[in-house]
Amino acid sequence: MTTNGPAPRPPGRGTASSLRMALRMVNTVLDREVSGRNGFNVSRLADEVGVERSKASRTTQDLCDKGFLERRDDSTLRAGAAFFTTAAALHPGLLARSRPLLRRLAVEHGAGARLSVRDGVQVRLLRAESAAGFGQEWQGVASLVTPCWCTGAGRALLLDHTAEEITALLDGYELIGVGGPDAAHSAAEVTAANDRDRLRGFVTAHGEFEHGVTEYAVPVRDSAGHIRAAVSVVGRQEDLTVREQTVRTDLTAAATALARYVDGAGDTTPR
């Protein structure tokens, strides 16, 4: 058999190595963003990842050009829209089915409604819907990445974790100074909050991410009973607390409706 030319060569070691480094850089930026500390610029990112600054500069520029990273005005880096678009593509069933449910929740309760998944200590927003008139200033947890320990969705995603698992997960992360006035400051406080909410299967987070903001959240489970996502309602504490029972009922119904679409989705890192 004849061919028109040599067969394509598989990616070499250099290509694989460059890809691993790029992924490591994106993950490092995400970890820094979630920690609540100031972001890395290129030089500090290079030092953190352990690569030459010139190579880090070329790689971050390529990642920014492709939309996987973004530069803030102060030259620090954050995850870009393309990264989250790619992450969201891993959950096509959830995304397709969640929009009308989230929209209904937002309109019914005059608030924001969210669908989120967990990646280690990070909570990644997959989809958000907001009621008309729900101002941007009250959409604190609509960020693309938030910490798991001080958000309603994050704690819902950890609701089945034991105290030992939560302690191991948060080891090395600075909890003090991150989140709102009622945020947990230790793994023990996260565990205690989840012990309180686990009995109801419904997470209540008053002022944990931002002052005056409440987030109610319910885990979405797969057919085996494992938590794969979380659906939540977020808004002014004064508006939502008087509707708590209704919000709980509606969130539970939404989580049940979404449960059939989450098999194979969920956390992208080990517990």
Side-chain angles (χ1 to χ4, degrees):
M1 180 177 68
T2 61
T3 64
N4 293 325
R9 296 176 61 184
R13 292 184 179 179
T15 301
S17 176
S18 296
L19 178 58
R20 284 195 297 270
M21 184 184 70
L23 291 172
R24 192 161 71 248
M25 293 173 76
V26 172
N27 282 328
T28 300
V29 169
L30 282 166
D31 285 343
R32 187 72 174 187
E33 191 173 345
V34 165
S35 74
R37 294 171 288 175
N38 291 333
F40 288 129
N41 59 25
V42 174
S43 296
R44 294 197 63 194
L45 178 61
D47 295 341
E48 186 74 12
V49 176
V51 299
E52 295 178 0
R53 292 186 178 184
S54 60
K55 191 170 185 178
S57 179
R58 291 193 298 270
T59 302
T60 53
Q61 184 59 55
D62 189 41
L63 289 168
C64 286
D65 289 344
K66 290 179 169 62
F68 287 92
L69 289 178
E70 294 177 356
R71 279 192 178 86
R72 294 186 172 98
D73 291 340
D74 62 0
S75 296
T76 58
L77 298 160
R78 64 182 175 188
F83 176 84
F84 297 100
T85 299
T86 302
L90 299 176
H91 308 269
L94 274 178
L95 288 176
R97 300 293 179 172
S98 65
R99 185 174 185 179
L101 292 172
L102 294 177
R103 185 62 184 162
R104 191 176 307 124
L105 284 169
V107 171
E108 178 67 23
H109 300 291
R114 317 276 184 249
L115 177 69
S116 307
V117 294
R118 186 178 69 88
D119 184 355
V121 299
Q122 304 161 358
V123 178
R124 295 181 179 173
L125 181 68
L126 293 186
R127 186 181 288 283
E129 296 288 336
S130 298
F134 183 61
Q136 180 65 36
E137 68 272 21
W138 291 100
Q139 299 189 44
V141 294
S143 303
L144 291 175
V145 176
T146 50
C148 65
W149 63 83
C150 62
T151 56
R155 289 205 297 104
L157 289 161
L158 296 178
L159 209 55
D160 287 349
H161 278 51
T162 65
E164 292 76 14
E165 289 170 336
I166 290 175
T167 298
L169 177 68
L170 299 180
D171 183 42
Y173 286 89
E174 181 59 62
L175 276 63
I176 296 176
V178 179
D182 297 319
H185 293 154
S186 67
E189 291 184 7
V190 177
T191 299
N194 272 11
D195 286 345
R196 178 198 70 211
D197 291 335
R198 186 178 299 110
L199 296 175
R200 303 186 303 165
F202 174 71
V203 170
T204 301
H206 299 308
E208 292 188 21
F209 188 75
E210 188 175 340
H211 175 72
V213 172
T214 283
E215 184 180 15
Y216 294 118
V218 171
V220 180
R221 299 177 182 273
D222 63 18
S223 58
H226 301 132
I227 295 174
R228 298 298 188 181
V231 61
S232 61
V233 166
V234 57
R236 299 176 182 86
Q237 184 169 334
E238 61 193 61
D239 294 339
L240 288 184
T241 52
V242 296
R243 304 174 60 85
E244 180 172 309
Q245 187 55 51
T246 304
V247 173
R248 175 184 178 180
T249 299
D250 291 347
L251 278 175
T252 301
T256 299
L258 290 171
R260 72 190 70 177
Y261 305 108
V262 298
D263 284 306
D267 297 356
T268 57
T269 59
R271 292 167 68 91

